[in-house]
Amino acid sequence: MKVLLRNPSREVDMNGPISVVKLLNRLEMSRQEVLVIQNGTLVPGDAMLAEDAIVEVRPVISGG
Amino acid sequence: MKCKVCKGPALIDVRRHNANFCSDHFIRYCREQVSKTLKEFDMAEPGDRLLVAVSGGKDSFAVWDILESLGFDTNGLYVGLGIGEYSDTSGQYVRDFATGRNLPLTEIDLRSTYDYDVPTASAVTRRVPCSACGLSKRHVFDKECRKGNFDAIVTGHNLDDEAAVLYGNVLRWQTDYLGRQRPMLPALNGFPKKIKPLVRLSERETAAYCVLRGIDYLVEECPMAAGNKHLSYKAALNLIEEESPGSKQAFYFGFLRDAVDRFDLTTSDPNQDRSDVATEDSPILSPCIECGSPTNVETCSFCRLLRRASGAKPVPVELIRKKY
């Protein structure tokens, strides 16, 4: 599966299927500091992501 | 995960409320939180004309969209800060948002209006970029709010922003800043009313709101914000929140309930120039001799910045980023 990351924008390949929680653990990211987005909508924490999924992991923290 | 309201599949969890929501009920939750905040802090009433400061980011778009959905008469205000490509992109996001919804937008570009930009102001005044940026924006917000006779200026500060600022002010016991850290500052002494309707929503919630509403916002961070203290305070608070959901809300709203009145600004030094932090409560205010804005010194901080930065040789963003 392809995972799009931000700040800076980049793309990484991961093995699927995998749950959102496990994906974020592997990326060492806190679920409270990002949103996982697929096909323009949110993916809940308990969802499974397929091997061929393309998802974006979007940070929500801003420095303002 | 099931929606707390309809028991259908949920898309988002709000841990501090121990609740999960589907798309429709999450959007409703966000609007209700803002509506509650507007009433609780006397921020605005139906029919008020609100000037919404917009940056192209999730928070300002979320608050503008929510206020529109609640029926307020809104006008966007975008300040072009001249932060290289970042400002070019953010300006386009704002224009697209306003045009797509047929909403009125006022644009003030620092370079074309005042002949300086934030990187240049930061360099010539030796202020950190966020300080030069904040001072410039506050001046433009106040000026445009008075000029357009709006009832209040709206900013998109969220719960995380306010908790982080509070944390920083408490760490260093910035008592004068603590005294004015309220989500609503009334119009006083020539300063317009300022309101922060998103203080009951976390930034994860404002981001989720934008995604679920199909709002395209600028995700990239301001290149000059990297490494600022505000981000480290947020990181520290997020560690606490992870272990104890609701801590940030308890910290900030507990402060508003039990402590903010103890830090009243009328007890602060009247001879200190406070115009750079827009202190409506400063005891002695008169018009700035150059721009007419209220200040407790002869020339306000913005005009002093303008004297040094306006017309100065432009400084590229990259040079400032290396310095800070």
Side-chain angles (χ1 to χ4, degrees):
Chain A
M1 59 184 288
K2 290 202 184 304
V3 183
L4 310 175
L5 303 170
R6 302 289 202 122
N7 292 334
S9 290
R10 58 206 188 279
E11 190 177 298
V12 296
D13 289 316
M14 308 274 290
N15 291 327
I18 186 174
S19 73
V20 167
V21 170
K22 278 191 181 169
L23 170 72
L24 296 180
N25 284 344
R26 278 193 199 166
L27 292 168
E28 296 182 341
M29 290 179 172
S30 162
R31 209 153 67 80
Q32 296 306 310
E33 296 185 358
V34 297
L35 293 174
V36 178
I37 299 167
Q38 187 178 27
N39 297 326
T41 195
L42 301 177
V43 186
D46 58 358
M48 288 297 290
L49 299 166
E51 170 64 33
D52 59 352
I54 301 174
V55 296
E56 177 190 349
V57 178
R58 185 182 292 186
V60 299
I61 311 289
S62 55
Chain B
M1 221 165 77
K2 288 186 176 175
C3 174
K4 177 187 176 183
V5 184
C6 67
K7 312 302 178 199
L11 290 179
I12 177 91
D13 56 301
V14 181
R15 286 182 71 208
R16 72 178 184 288
H17 293 315
N18 195 25
N20 305 315
F21 295 102
C22 67
S23 179
D24 287 351
H25 288 117
F26 179 72
I27 289 167
R28 193 175 83 178
Y29 154 81
C30 290
R31 290 172 178 170
E32 283 172 352
Q33 292 296 308
V34 168
S35 188
K36 179 179 176 182
T37 307
L38 292 171
K39 289 189 188 98
E40 182 179 359
F41 296 103
D42 268 336
M43 289 185 175
E45 294 177 351
D48 278 359
R49 294 180 62 242
L50 303 175
L51 183 62
V52 185
V54 279
S55 64
K58 64 190 189 310
D59 302 309
S60 56
F61 281 168
V63 76
W64 199 1
D65 187 80
I66 293 171
L67 290 171
E68 269 295 306
S69 75
L70 295 175
F72 286 96
D73 180 0
T74 63
N75 188 111
L77 170 61
Y78 173 75
V79 182
L81 302 165
I83 306 176
E85 194 181 330
Y86 175 78
S87 287
D88 298 339
T89 309
S90 65
Q92 196 53 52
Y93 272 90
V94 172
R95 276 170 227 121
D96 290 347
F97 181 92
T99 306
R101 289 160 178 77
N102 201 24
L103 295 171
L105 174 69
T106 303
E107 287 192 58
I108 304 294
D109 181 68
L110 292 182
R111 175 57 67 189
S112 56
T113 309
Y114 296 106
D115 199 16
Y116 80 92
D117 51 43
V118 165
T120 305
S122 171
V124 300
T125 63
R126 297 186 180 180
R127 282 174 175 265
V128 293
C130 295
S131 168
C133 178
L135 174 57
S136 304
K137 286 195 290 194
R138 283 191 296 273
H139 178 84
V140 175
F141 294 169
D142 289 354
K143 185 179 173 185
E144 292 302 313
C145 194
R146 285 192 296 265
K147 188 173 150 189
N149 203 24
F150 289 96
D151 293 297
I153 178 92
V154 180
T155 56
H157 293 91
N158 56 49
L159 175 61
D160 294 77
D161 294 327
E162 293 305 296
V165 169
L166 177 59
Y167 185 68
N169 288 339
V170 168
L171 273 183
R172 296 176 186 276
W173 290 113
Q174 306 261 35
T175 53
D176 47 352
Y177 289 94
L178 284 169
R180 63 184 186 86
Q181 204 193 331
R182 299 176 193 267
M184 188 281 284
L185 294 172
L188 196 64
N189 295 329
F191 287 102
K193 183 176 184 178
K194 297 188 177 83
I195 64 174
K196 299 174 180 176
L198 296 184
V199 294
R200 284 192 175 278
L201 295 175
S202 72
E203 55 190 340
R204 183 167 179 264
E205 288 153 41
T206 63
Y209 179 87
C210 286
V211 172
L212 295 175
R213 286 280 294 149
I215 295 170
D216 195 17
Y217 66 90
L218 180 60
V219 177
E220 279 68 37
E221 186 59 89
C222 172
M224 308 191 103
N228 76 14
K229 282 182 190 166
H230 198 67
L231 285 169
S232 63
Y233 296 152
K234 282 187 174 181
L237 287 170
N238 282 341
L239 283 176
I240 298 169
E241 186 79 13
E242 188 80 32
E243 294 299 316
S244 177
S247 295
K248 277 186 275 196
Q249 181 156 335
F251 179 48
Y252 178 61
F253 282 90
F255 164 75
L256 292 180
R257 186 186 61 239
D258 297 328
V260 67
D261 290 341
R262 300 171 192 230
F263 300 101
D264 194 304
L265 283 173
T266 53
T267 59
S268 63
D269 179 4
N271 297 316
Q272 186 188 359
D273 174 16
R274 305 186 48 81
S275 54
D276 65 333
V277 288
T279 55
E280 292 86 343
D281 298 338
S282 295
I284 304 168
L285 291 174
S286 56
C288 165
I289 58 167
E290 295 189 20
C291 72
S293 297
T295 176
N296 59 354
V297 289
E298 198 174 78
T299 304
C300 73
S301 295
F302 176 77
C303 287
R304 295 205 305 274
L305 175 144
L306 201 56
R307 278 182 191 167
R308 298 175 68 185
S310 184
K313 186 182 172 188
V315 175
V317 178
E318 294 71 25
L319 277 184
I320 305 299
R321 286 178 69 184
K322 280 179 191 163
K323 193 172 174 186
Y324 293 97

